[in-house]
């Protein structure tokens, strides 16, 4: 089946006898055993719940994995992932990752003795150079949040596998509709399902998808043991969100491409970062490894005042954190998503006081253009 069909029909197992087309919300913490030593397959919802199973199976099918665990947020998924490592282990990560991921790794996980090195993973020689005898994994976000750098997943996977390292890819920005890192050699895919998969800015959710049964078993054990598993109602909301993932992505990325070109024509905008622009550094790699360029872009304004005014003046577009939903959102990474990134690293990446990130929603693109034009004034 093609991705858009899996989005709608991802899970064909029926859990009820009435023939409900929509997967029922099994709002139950525990399940009755038919007899001693017997189980319906469901015992306790922290371990397994039918609504969650339906969601996880859909994401597994979309990402071409063997298993998926659904968590209460993207960060809960990242936190669970850290359970795969022990004190002394070393992880190489993209230097431009979601600010919350960096905060967790550096301010929490590192205090348990796991070591991290941040490098520009779009430059594979820096990844190679950072490998030590303790290195166990490479954690890549591509395209990165918020500067839109692109890493060649297949080449990175080859490098990792030659050294026996796990390759973990945060696929939040492109979603399995546009990119399948496991097919390119990654071992684990991470998602903030809060973003495009949920798609409506109404539910927090995270996923870890595994390629091998061994890794899948470890992650499932960790999820059950640490317990940040997604609640049945939220699972249902994300199942519903995924049904329209394909049509949303098509619309959103079409508008994003148009807006990337439009922003370039505005005198108050100096640089636009969108992998679909032919002069973007990651354009060719994106064409090779993904089926589209996505609907996230970022840009620099001529100065700080223009950026701040735009945040206040935008009206169709909301000034808010998050991304990927049907509503377009404008974000100021400096004080919002990336406030915890050390200043030096932020400046190196170009996350300055005139840098804005735009998540393009499904509104009419002409309304979005008009809104940007009136908001981005000198
Ligand atoms: C939002 C986000 C996260 C964290 O997910 P939450 O659902 O907010 O916890 C991780 N990675 C990326 C790329 C994100 O955009």
């Amino acid at each position: 089946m093609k991705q858009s069909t899996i989005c709608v029909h991802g899970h064909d197992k029926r859990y009820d006898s009435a023939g409900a087309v929509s997967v029922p919300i099994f709002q139950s913490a525990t399940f009755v055993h038919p007899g001693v030593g017997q189980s319906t397959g469901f015992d306790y919802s922290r371990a397994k719940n039918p609504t969650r199973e339906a969601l996880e199976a859909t994401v597994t099918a979309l990402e071409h994995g063997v298993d998926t665990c659904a968590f209460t947020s993207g960060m809960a998924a990242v936190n669970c992932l850290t359970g795969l490592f022990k004190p002394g282990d070393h992880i190489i990560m993209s230097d431009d990752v979601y600010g919350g991921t960096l905060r967790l790794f550096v301010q929490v996980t590192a205090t348990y003795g796991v070591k991290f090195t941040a490098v520009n993973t779009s430059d594979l020689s820096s990844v190679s150079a950072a490998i030590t005898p303790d290195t166990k994994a490479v954690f890549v976000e591509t395209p990165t949040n918020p500067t839109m750098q692109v890493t060649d997943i297949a080449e990175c996977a080859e490098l990792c596998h030659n050294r026996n390292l796990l390759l973990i890819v945060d696929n939040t920005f492109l979603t399995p509709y546009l990119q399948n890192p496991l097919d390119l050699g990654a071992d684990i895919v991470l998602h903030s399902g809060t973003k495009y998969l949920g798609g409506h800015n109404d539910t927090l959710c995270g996923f870890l998808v595994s390629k091998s049964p061994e890794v899948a078993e470890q992650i499932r054990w960790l999820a059950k043991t640490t317990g940040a598993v997604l609640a049945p109602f939220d699972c249902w909301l994300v199942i519903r969100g995924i049904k329209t993932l394909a049509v949303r992505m098509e619309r959103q990325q079409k508008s994003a491409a148009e807006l990337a070109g439009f922003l370039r024509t505005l005198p108050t905008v100096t640089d636009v970062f969108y992998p679909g622009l032919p002069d973007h550094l990651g354009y060719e790699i994106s064409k090779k490894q993904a089926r589209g360029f996505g609907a996230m872009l970022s840009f620099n304004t001529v100065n700080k005042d223009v950026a701040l005014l735009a945040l206040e003046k935008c009206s169709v577009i909301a000034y808010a954190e998050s991304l990927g939903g049907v509503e377009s959102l404008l974000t100021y990474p400096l004080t919002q998503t990336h406030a915890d990134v050390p200043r030096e690293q932020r400046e190196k990446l170009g996350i300055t006081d005139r840098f804005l990130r735009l998540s393009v929603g499904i509104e009419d693109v002409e309304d979005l253009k008009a809104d940007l034009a009136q908001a981005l004034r000198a």
Side-chain angles (χ1 to χ4, degrees), residues 16-130:
D16 70 317
S17 53
V21 167
S22 166
V23 176
I25 302 166
F26 285 86
Q27 191 65 45
S28 187
T30 190
F31 300 85
V32 176
H33 297 299
V36 175
Q38 294 175 4
S39 167
T40 59
F42 299 97
D43 306 318
Y44 188 60
S45 277
R46 176 155 39 73
K48 208 170 162 197
N49 171 285
T51 317
R52 198 166 68 241
E53 184 183 68
L55 170 63
E56 291 173 342
T58 301
V59 175
T60 300
L62 285 171
E63 281 291 11
H64 308 158
V66 299
D67 192 31
T68 299
C69 287
F71 298 88
T72 51
S73 68
M75 289 318 303
V78 184
N79 193 41
C80 180
L81 190 65
T82 64
L84 293 173
F85 305 98
K86 51 183 200 318
D89 285 353
H90 174 240
I91 299 173
I92 298 167
M93 65 195 273
S94 301
D95 58 2
D96 181 33
V97 289
Y98 172 67
T101 303
L102 182 77
R103 185 171 63 220
L104 174 70
F105 284 169
V106 173
Q107 296 184 35
V108 181
T109 318
T111 64
Y112 303 152
V114 178
K115 295 169 288 180
F116 291 90
T117 304
V119 303
N120 180 349
T121 53
S122 68
D123 169 19
L124 288 173
S125 60
S126 332
V127 179
S128 272

Side-chain angles (χ1 to χ4, degrees), residues 72-78 97-98 100-101 139 141 143-145 170-173 190-195 203-206 322-323 337 357:
T72 51
S73 68
M75 289 318 303
V78 184
V97 289
Y98 172 67
T101 303
F139 182 99
E141 210 174 279
T144 59
N145 179 1
D170 184 335
N171 200 28
T172 300
F173 267 33
L190 163 77
H191 279 286
S192 168
T194 311
K195 316 295 168 55
T203 316
L204 292 179
C205 166
S322 203
L323 61 102
T337 50
R357 186 188 78 185

Side-chain angles (χ1 to χ4, degrees), residues 174-195:
L174 286 185
T175 82
Y177 181 65
L178 297 177
Q179 176 168 276
N180 287 118
L182 300 183
D183 290 348
L184 298 162
D187 301 287
I188 300 172
V189 161
L190 163 77
H191 279 286
S192 168
T194 311
K195 316 295 168 55

